[in-house]
Amino acid sequence: MMLSGETAKDYQMERTIIGHFATRRDAELAVEHLVQDHGIARTDVVVQAPGTANSAGSLAAGADVESGHPSVDKTGAPELGGEIEVSVDCHGRQSGEVEGILKEAGARRVSAKSL
């Protein structure tokens, strides 16, 4: 069933929605939410640094932050070189829902491209 104002082309169009996250932790939580709570196939989700260099994000979080726990021996600094991208291949009307989920999970910005 199409929504008011939608065309058959809109309904069938496949798009990739890309969320840009400051921390690896936020990106991973977004993936969990997409897959576990909304039934998005894990094979439709890719997590990566946007360029060729490795990155844990642009802000330290989660395992990158000293816990103060005596059994945690951290050496060096986290590889903070840029944002983390979460790309989701969407089918039909799924793209609007995915965009909202990524924003709710803390994406700094969300973009889309046609497949």
Side-chain angles (χ1 to χ4, degrees):
M1 178 179 172
M2 288 186 280
L3 298 175
S4 175
E6 279 187 318
T7 65
K9 183 179 177 183
D10 293 330
Y11 185 74
Q12 295 172 356
M13 185 166 55
E14 296 198 6
R15 298 171 20 146
T16 298
I17 306 299
I18 305 163
H20 304 266
F21 292 85
T23 68
R24 180 82 183 188
R25 183 177 192 281
D26 287 347
E28 289 173 351
L29 288 173
V31 172
E32 278 187 42
H33 194 55
L34 288 163
V35 173
Q36 295 176 8
D37 297 338
H38 294 277
I40 304 296
R42 181 62 183 95
T43 54
D44 285 341
V45 181
V46 175
V47 179
Q48 64 186 11
T52 57
N54 280 339
S55 178
S58 57
L59 298 174
D64 299 327
V65 179
E66 291 290 341
S67 69
H69 193 276
S71 67
V72 176
D73 181 24
K74 289 216 163 261
T75 57
E79 189 73 32
L80 299 176
E83 296 178 324
I84 301 295
E85 286 183 351
V86 175
S87 302
V88 185
D89 290 341
C90 298
H91 314 285
R93 294 181 291 168
Q94 195 178 42
S95 60
E97 178 184 12
V98 167
E99 185 175 337
I101 293 165
L102 292 175
K103 287 178 180 177
E104 185 179 301
R108 289 180 159 186
R109 68 184 188 286
V110 176
S111 58
K113 65 180 181 179
S114 297
L115 294 177

